[in-house]
Amino acid sequence: MTETNEILELYITENTLDEILATMGDPLPIAPSKHQGIIERLRELYLAVHTEHRLAPMNTRTKLDKTLKPLLRQSLDLQRRIGDDEIQWMNKVLSIAALDLRLQSTKSERSSEKGAYIPPPDVLQRTESALNDFSKLLNHLRTMMDQFDELGPEEYAEWIGSAGTEKEVYVRNEITPHFRKRGGIGADTIAVRHIAEIYEFAFESPFSANRRDSYERIDAEIDSSNQPRYYSGASVKFACAVVKVLKIGGIIVPLTEKYLSATEPDLDKSQLDISALSRERAFAGEAVRESWLINRIGDLWINDSRRQEKTVAE
């Protein structure tokens, strides 16, 4: 068992499920045989959401894709050229040039003897060997990327945690931000997907989020932007309860100037770094306004359902 899993087992327990059900208020009964399965799914949800949220601002995959193939091709081409017999005659010339570079570097007042260039006796052979090692490393990197591409975003956390040794976990943890592609679903959508799957497993009923009629107003005295646009049915109540108990409201409802204007109208937002504050609040587990949470869960569910329907149709 990895250290991450041990921490999750301490944080998400049977009591966590009890808290979620209590927060819902009047939940349908859940078969006791499903409790452990729900707990495991809650741990997967928590780990996946926090992993994805941590990775979100870090991405160099586009640069890797643009750089790796040309670099490998050039490396292999140079390796072949150096290995060609027609080039080998240059070895003596290069060795003499290397000797001269050594002599000139030791004369320089800015270079110490320790930092002076040392000419190898077989320049071409050593260069060919170094290029072979470099090409092997680039090929291995490409293989790692191909294997990573077989994973879905919700599998990143498990892939990192299941690596094996501490060093292997470190490798995967460090490389994931660079392999992760842009354009994937975010931590908020991943959370709602997991919550929907847990709801359907627990209650054996489809997850749904139903919009209120556009003309319907709950309270005419309250700004409509702060009113829920979705009915608070069993699915939405369960989703809100999970978000509150796991303290991931800051991830589901990102901090924006609009949200701050609605919740803290007197706050001077001109000097604030909204993005930094949003990430700080997300990891601090701060609570968010109920109506915004309901609206965000509903929007994420509707948009993701349409996205998946479109994918199936194509």
Side-chain angles (χ1 to χ4, degrees):
M1 182 182 295
T2 66
E3 181 180 353
T4 301
N5 287 335
E6 290 174 353
I7 292 172
L8 283 175
E9 287 194 3
L10 290 172
Y11 181 71
I12 300 176
T13 66
E14 285 280 346
N15 291 335
T16 305
L17 178 56
D18 293 337
E19 287 181 54
I20 290 170
L21 297 177
T23 303
M24 286 183 70
D26 55 348
L28 295 171
I30 299 176
S33 60
K34 291 188 174 184
H35 284 201
Q36 189 55 41
I38 295 171
I39 296 300
E40 291 301 324
R41 285 167 170 78
L42 287 171
R43 288 172 183 154
E44 291 173 7
L45 156 66
Y46 188 84
L47 187 57
V49 168
H50 275 275
T51 300
E52 181 63 23
H53 188 71
R54 180 179 63 83
L55 296 178
M58 301 182 283
N59 189 293
T60 56
R61 179 55 184 266
T62 302
K63 291 182 179 180
L64 270 176
D65 287 337
K66 289 176 67 174
T67 306
L68 183 56
K69 287 184 180 179
L71 187 60
L72 179 58
R73 183 173 60 250
Q74 292 160 6
S75 175
L76 291 172
D77 182 57
L78 186 56
Q79 185 181 332
R80 284 191 295 268
R81 292 201 64 192
I82 289 178
D84 195 314
D85 290 340
E86 293 183 6
I87 305 294
Q88 290 302 310
W89 66 270
M90 289 184 63
N91 193 58
K92 182 177 180 180
V93 178
L94 288 171
S95 297
I96 294 173
L99 177 60
D100 186 64
L101 180 59
R102 158 73 173 176
L103 296 173
Q104 296 302 319
S105 65
T106 55
K107 283 183 179 180
S108 173
E109 294 180 359
R110 292 173 297 176
S111 297
S112 65
E113 182 71 18
K114 183 178 179 181
Y117 178 78
I118 300 176
D122 49 353
V123 178
L124 285 174
Q125 285 79 2
R126 290 200 177 200
T127 304
E128 183 182 3
S129 176
L131 283 170
N132 179 60
D133 291 340
F134 186 54
S135 299
K136 184 177 180 180
L137 180 60
L138 292 177
N139 268 316
H140 181 69
L141 176 60
R142 186 169 63 178
T143 299
M144 291 175 70
M145 291 166 64
D146 290 341
Q147 292 172 344
F148 181 83
D149 287 345
E150 296 177 2
L151 302 172
E154 67 280 0
E155 298 175 288
Y156 293 168
E158 179 62 27
W159 181 71
I160 293 170
S162 64
T165 66
E166 183 179 344
K167 286 184 179 180
E168 288 170 320
V169 170
Y170 170 80
V171 167
R172 288 188 177 183
N173 189 58
E174 290 297 308
I175 207 70
T176 299
H178 303 287
F179 284 177
R180 177 179 174 275
K181 292 182 177 179
R182 290 189 184 277
I185 62 174
D188 47 9
T189 299
I190 288 175
V192 173
R193 280 189 182 181
H194 274 269
I195 291 171
E197 189 271 332
I198 296 170
Y199 178 85
E200 293 173 3
F201 171 78
F203 300 105
E204 298 182 0
S205 178
F207 185 93
S208 62
N210 300 313
R211 273 184 174 275
R212 296 177 180 274
D213 294 333
S214 59
Y215 59 82
E216 184 179 358
R217 295 285 297 278
I218 300 172
D219 188 339
E221 299 300 321
I222 300 177
D223 182 357
S224 61
S225 66
N226 293 327
Q227 297 185 33
R229 289 180 278 102
Y230 295 86
Y231 289 104
S232 187
S235 297
V236 173
K237 281 185 178 180
F238 178 75
C240 289
V242 170
V243 170
K244 291 174 184 176
V245 172
L246 298 190
K247 295 181 172 56
I248 56 174
I251 294 176
I252 302 299
V253 183
L255 196 63
T256 61
E257 189 166 330
K258 180 181 177 183
Y259 184 82
L260 280 175
S261 297
T263 55
E264 300 184 57
D266 298 328
L267 183 66
D268 180 9
K269 295 171 282 296
S270 60
Q271 304 298 320
L272 296 178
D273 184 341
I274 301 296
S275 177
L277 279 175
S278 180
R279 292 190 58 75
E280 182 179 332
R281 187 190 66 162
F283 284 117
E286 290 185 20
V288 298
R289 179 172 287 189
E290 180 84 4
S291 59
W292 285 69
L293 181 56
I294 291 173
N295 291 340
R296 187 65 178 155
I297 288 171
D299 289 346
L300 288 167
W301 172 252
I302 296 296
N303 292 336
D304 192 44
S305 297
R306 290 172 178 168
R307 183 190 299 115
Q308 294 189 68
E309 288 173 2
K310 183 179 180 181
T311 301
V312 171
E314 293 174 348

